[in-house]
């Protein structure tokens, strides 16, 4: 049996970081070697930990910089923190390839959202009229959600039009966690594809899949599909 993959979690004290730590210690092929927070000097702490893969779950907008720090420490980045732009993702990809490493940027770890996006692409081929409704808890600051923007991009790609032309409606209301519905309208029929979440646990399997994927990744791709569909060899 090979040695467990050594993992460092950055943002370890947060909601997502706590979930990740719990899931990592619950499996035999991963080993939690560092739980890092705001007070730690990231690069030095990563180097000292011996981590092979770093998982960033901190504050929106910090993911790309933390990914660069990880690469500088020769640690493979998995960035779950919101707000990594496509340009930042490309810069991470270039930096990783330059040092022969890989990782993954994951805007959404949920299995259901990945499957929803696959179903949306199929439906978008048949229904030109489509709107996205994303509904989140009142504390979510960004709107539209990154996941909704990604859905619109996928629809635009399939339909050969700019993503901005796909209407997105954002609902922010107490009581909800995170739901997304994609509504397609045809002649005398409506197709609704809907994903609902009831707790952070929905991100657990994706977190583990992303960490395992990163161990063998070349470059830094974007999206949980790379992990669920298996590493590219
Ligand atoms: N990809 C996905 O599927 C997914 C799903 C859910 C959430 N998210 C994203 O994941 C991130 C974390 O979410 P959360 O709900 O866990 O937030 P949270 O509960 O606020 O936790 C964030 C943690 O990161 C720490 N932190 C902040 N800045 C840091 C820094 N510069 N260095 C080290 N640690 C730092 C915080 O420490 P302090 O308490 O000291 O500030 C806190 O412990 C957010 O960006 C969120 O949008 C992604």
């Amino acid at each position: 049996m090979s040695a467990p993959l050594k993992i460092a979690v950055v943002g370890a004290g947060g909601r997502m970081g706590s979930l990740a730590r719990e899931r990592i210690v619950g499996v035999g092929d991963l080993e939690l070697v560092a739980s890092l927070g705001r007070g730690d000097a990231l690069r030095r702490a990563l180097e000292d930990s011996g981590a092979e893969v770093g998982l960033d779950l901190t504050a929106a907008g910090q993911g790309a910089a933390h990914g660069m720090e990880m690469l500088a420490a020769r640690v493979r980045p998995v960035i779950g923190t919101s707000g990594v732009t496509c340009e930042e993702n490309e810069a991470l990809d270039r930096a990783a390839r330059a040092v022969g490493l890989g990782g993954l940027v994951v805007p959404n770890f949920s299995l259901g959202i990945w499957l929803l996006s696959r179903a949306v692409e199929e439906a978008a081929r048949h229904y030109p009229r489509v709107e996205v409704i994303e509904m989140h808890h009142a504390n979510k600051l960004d709107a539209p959600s990154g996941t909704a923007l990604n859905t619109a991009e996928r629809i635009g790609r399939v339909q050969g039009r700019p993503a901005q032309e796909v209407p997105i409606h954002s609902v922010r209301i107490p009581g909800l966690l995170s739901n997304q519905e994609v509504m397609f309208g045809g002649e005398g029929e409506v197709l609704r594809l809907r994903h609902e979440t009831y707790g952070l646990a929905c991100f657990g399997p994706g977190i583990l899949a992303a960490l395992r994927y990163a161990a063998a990744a070349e470059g830094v791709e974007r999206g949980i599909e790379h992990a669920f569909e298996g590493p590219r060899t």
Side-chain angles (χ1 to χ4, degrees), residues 12 39 44 62 195 211:
R44 168 61 68 87
Q62 299 184 6
H195 178 256
L211 294 171

Side-chain angles (χ1 to χ4, degrees), residues 10-28:
V10 187
R15 285 166 296 221
M16 287 291 283
S18 300
L19 169 78
R21 287 187 292 118
E22 180 197 306
R23 294 304 169 98
I24 291 164
V25 299
V27 293

